[in-house]
Amino acid sequence: MHLMEHAVFPGRYDSLEIICDLVTDQATKAGFDETAIYAIQTAVDEACSNIIEHAYQGEDKGSIEVTVTSTDDCITINLADRGIPFNPANIPEPNINGSLDERDNHGLGLYFMNKLMDKVYFEFSEQAGNTVTMVKCLHHPH
Amino acid sequence: MEVTTNRLKHCNLITVKGRVDSATAPDLSKAIAQSTDAGDYHLVIDLGGVDFLSSAGLRVLMLAQKTCKRYNRGEIKLAKVPPKIKSALDLVGFTILFNFYDDVVSAVGQF
C-alpha cells in the first residue's frame, strides 16, 4: 500500500471542488481513464456532500479528512469525519424507474457511490468517528 | 459554474457551464426559477459546457421538470449533454424523465 495523499478540508460545500481536484490528480497518476476518473469524482463528491449534509447537518461544523492510497491496480479513498454516526442502512434505495411524479430526492448519492466504485464500506467508532472507504480498480469490469 | 438565460421566441434557453455540485446547484435552481416564476415553462437547458454534475444538480433538474410539466404547461428539454454526464443520468434512470437533443437548435425547434 502506497500513500499518495493525505489532507484535511473544512466541511463546506466549496471544499468539494478542491477535494475533487486532489482525487483527480491521484487517479490520473494511477492510470485511470476519463470514464473511471469521472466515476471516482462523482463518488467522492457524493460522499463528501453526505458528510456535510448528514453527519455534520450543515456547513462549518467540522472537517473532512481525505486519505488516498494505492496498490498496483487499485486506488483507495478514505474520508473521515467527526459528525453524528452515519448508517447507510437508514438511507432508502432511490426510485430509479418510476414516473416523474413518483421520484423523490433521496438516496441518489449513496446509490452513485455503490454503483460507481468497486467497494464501498462505512465504519463508525467513538475514537475515529465516521469513515467511508471506497476502492476503484483499474481492471474491474465496472 | 456560470448560468445565462436567453429569452427566445418560443422558449427560454438556459446555458450552464462549469461544475454543478452541492455548492453551485442552488444557483442553478435560482436561475431556472427566474424563468418559471415569470411563467416561462418551455425551457431548453444547454449542458454542453458542464464538466461535472452531481446528484445535487440532478435534484434541481428533476424538481424543475416537475414544475414545468405540471398542468401540461411546459417541459425542460436537455441539449448537448456530455457523454459522461449522460451515463450518470442513465445510471439513475433520469433518461426517461427528459428529452435529449444533440444540439440547441434541434431542442429549441421542438417548441
Side-chain angles (χ1 to χ4, degrees):
Chain A
M1 190 73 81
H2 170 63
L3 176 66
M4 299 180 81
E5 190 70 68
H6 178 259
V8 179
F9 298 91
R12 300 177 47 79
Y13 290 126
D14 59 13
S15 295
L16 296 175
E17 185 170 4
I18 306 164
I19 295 171
C20 182
D21 287 347
L22 177 153
V23 174
T24 299
D25 283 348
Q26 301 308 325
T28 303
K29 281 181 195 165
F32 287 92
D33 64 20
E34 193 184 346
T35 302
I37 288 172
Y38 191 72
I40 294 166
Q41 289 173 339
T42 301
V44 169
D45 178 281
E46 301 293 352
C48 292
S49 296
N50 279 347
I51 288 171
I52 298 167
E53 186 178 347
H54 298 296
Y56 287 132
Q57 311 264 301
E59 294 185 280
D60 292 324
K61 305 283 176 59
S63 59
I64 302 172
E65 187 175 350
V66 181
T67 308
V68 184
T69 54
S70 69
T71 59
D72 285 346
D73 288 330
C74 301
I75 189 167
T76 299
I77 298 139
N78 185 284
L79 304 168
D81 70 74
R82 298 281 177 171
I84 60 174
F86 177 73
N87 183 352
N90 293 337
I91 306 294
E93 281 265 312
N95 178 351
I96 63 165
N97 297 309
S99 67
L100 188 62
D101 288 339
E102 294 167 337
R103 305 289 181 109
D104 61 25
N105 299 335
H106 305 297
L108 287 179
L110 184 62
Y111 186 83
F112 268 130
M113 291 160 63
N114 284 320
K115 284 288 180 184
L116 294 173
M117 301 299 278
D118 296 326
K119 288 182 196 164
V120 177
Y121 46 95
F122 294 86
E123 295 167 287
F124 174 80
S125 73
E126 292 294 337
Q127 293 77 26
N130 290 304
T131 58
V132 54
T133 303
M134 302 187 286
V135 182
K136 184 91 173 164
C137 296
L138 280 169
H139 304 297
H140 198 276
H142 273 186
Chain B
M1 186 196 69
E2 289 176 40
V3 189
T4 54
T5 301
N6 290 302
R7 296 174 73 91
L8 306 179
K9 192 172 179 183
H10 297 295
C11 66
N12 285 3
L13 171 62
I14 299 173
T15 305
V16 189
K17 292 180 180 170
R19 179 184 169 87
V20 185
D21 60 13
S22 295
T24 58
D27 293 334
L28 176 60
S29 180
K30 282 179 202 159
I32 296 172
Q34 281 181 352
S35 288
T36 55
D37 288 350
D40 296 325
Y41 302 109
H42 293 89
L43 307 178
V44 171
I45 301 183
D46 175 357
L47 295 177
V50 173
D51 46 39
F52 183 81
L53 181 72
S54 78
S55 67
L58 294 181
R59 281 186 205 107
V60 168
L61 293 177
M62 182 183 67
L63 292 173
Q65 182 71 311
K66 284 186 178 183
T67 300
C68 288
K69 284 199 156 185
R70 195 169 297 146
Y71 315 126
N72 274 333
R73 61 192 175 188
E75 180 190 354
I76 291 175
K77 297 179 185 296
L78 299 180
K80 295 167 65 178
V81 180
K84 60 188 180 184
I85 292 175
K86 185 81 180 290
S87 296
L89 291 170
D90 200 27
L91 192 61
V92 290
F94 268 52
T95 43
I96 61 171
L97 305 180
F98 294 90
N99 287 309
F100 293 83
Y101 300 87
D102 290 339
D103 58 86
V104 168
V105 173
S106 303
V108 169
Q110 294 296 313
F111 284 119

